[in-house]
Amino acid sequence: MRIGIIGATGKAGSCITAEALDRGYLVVPLVRNARKLEDQDWEIVEKDLFDLSYTDLVGLDVVVDAFKAPEGREELHQKSLEHLISLLKGKNKPRLIVVGGSGSLIADRETGMRLSEKKDFPDTEKATAHNMEKALETLENTLDINWTYLSPSEHFIPKGTRTGNYQLGTDFLLTNHLGQSEISYADYAIALVDEIENRAFEGRRITACSK
């Protein structure tokens, strides 16, 4: 399987890249700066995301979108996904897997309140949460594209332990046996590559949490 990864040198993207390589898949980094990649015999597409064309994606089975918008340009979460949709809409391949946000997960089943609407949700994260939620809505309202959107838990831990265990849900915020909503980047990467293999949630948003 050939997996293209946008943002392969970022925090989430590098973990997903490592997990896919460990399983023997051919990873094609789709990056702006190939010099950030570790030395390896890569097949690379060195382009800005917004300069990608469908020709750059031909031959891939999956495209993982691990793009992270810079601070102050959070609207690029919407615009970047709109660009990818324009490339992939109506095409049989590649399938699109999006590294999503957690802010749009429902945190209160009774009221339907989303995580981003809670009083203690950090102000510094609200712009990202808003734009990632709008990007998800665009995906959900687009026909003729094969996608999965994977939200992490409330606490997404860059250097957390790789336990090899996780639980999956759909639109509701999950908690582990200690009542904590968290997952490490490494376990999130396992969940994402498992979904690439299993194709269990095509056309859906899902979320992953530690057990």
Side-chain angles (χ1 to χ4, degrees):
M1 187 183 299
R2 293 164 55 86
I3 302 173
I5 301 182
I6 296 169
T9 59
K11 290 180 179 178
S14 60
C15 287
I16 296 163
T17 296
E19 182 67 30
L21 289 172
D22 283 347
R23 301 197 198 188
Y25 295 122
L26 191 155
V27 172
V28 179
L30 307 168
V31 294
R32 286 186 301 170
N33 187 354
R35 288 176 295 179
K36 292 183 178 181
L37 291 166
E38 294 182 3
D39 289 340
Q40 189 163 315
D41 187 20
W42 297 102
E43 177 184 336
I44 301 169
V45 176
E46 189 173 16
K47 279 189 177 183
D48 185 90
L49 187 159
F50 292 95
D51 293 329
L52 289 174
S53 67
Y54 182 68
T55 302
D56 297 313
L57 309 180
V58 170
L60 297 176
D61 298 289
V62 177
V63 170
V64 176
D65 176 17
F67 169 76
K68 180 175 174 56
E71 186 176 353
R73 300 294 310 279
E74 290 85 358
E75 76 282 355
L76 293 181
H77 281 296
Q78 291 190 65
K79 293 180 179 179
S80 62
L81 197 51
E82 289 169 0
H83 177 62
L84 293 175
I85 288 171
S86 73
L87 300 183
L88 299 175
K89 184 176 170 61
K91 307 293 194 304
N92 291 327
K93 287 197 313 185
R95 178 185 177 200
L96 176 64
I97 310 287
V98 180
V99 176
S102 61
S104 57
L105 291 167
I106 298 172
D108 189 315
R109 290 177 179 267
E110 292 186 3
T111 65
M113 179 185 293
R114 299 185 185 277
L115 178 61
S116 62
E117 297 169 332
K118 293 178 65 177
K119 289 182 180 180
D120 59 352
F121 191 81
D123 289 340
T124 55
E125 297 179 16
K126 287 183 177 178
T128 295
H130 170 75
N131 282 282
M132 295 190 89
E133 181 174 346
K134 291 299 181 183
L136 173 59
E137 290 176 1
T138 299
L139 263 181
E140 292 175 330
N141 292 318
T142 301
L143 301 176
D144 205 16
I145 183 171
N146 188 349
W147 62 274
T148 300
Y149 185 103
L150 179 54
S151 292
S153 295
E154 180 175 4
H155 301 291
F156 199 15
I157 307 170
K159 296 183 179 180
T161 303
R162 185 187 192 279
T163 69
N165 297 306
Y166 64 88
Q167 55 178 315
L168 288 179
T170 52
D171 293 319
F172 295 92
L173 190 72
L174 297 175
T175 56
N176 61 21
H177 69 289
L178 297 175
Q180 299 166 333
S181 179
E182 62 181 28
I183 192 164
S184 66
Y185 277 53
D187 283 343
Y188 176 94
I190 294 172
L192 188 144
V193 179
D194 282 351
E195 172 56 24
I196 289 176
E197 293 177 347
N198 298 331
R199 306 177 70 104
F201 295 96
E202 294 182 346
R204 289 222 58 176
R205 184 263 286 280
I206 56 176
T207 183
C209 181
S210 64
K211 286 189 173 181

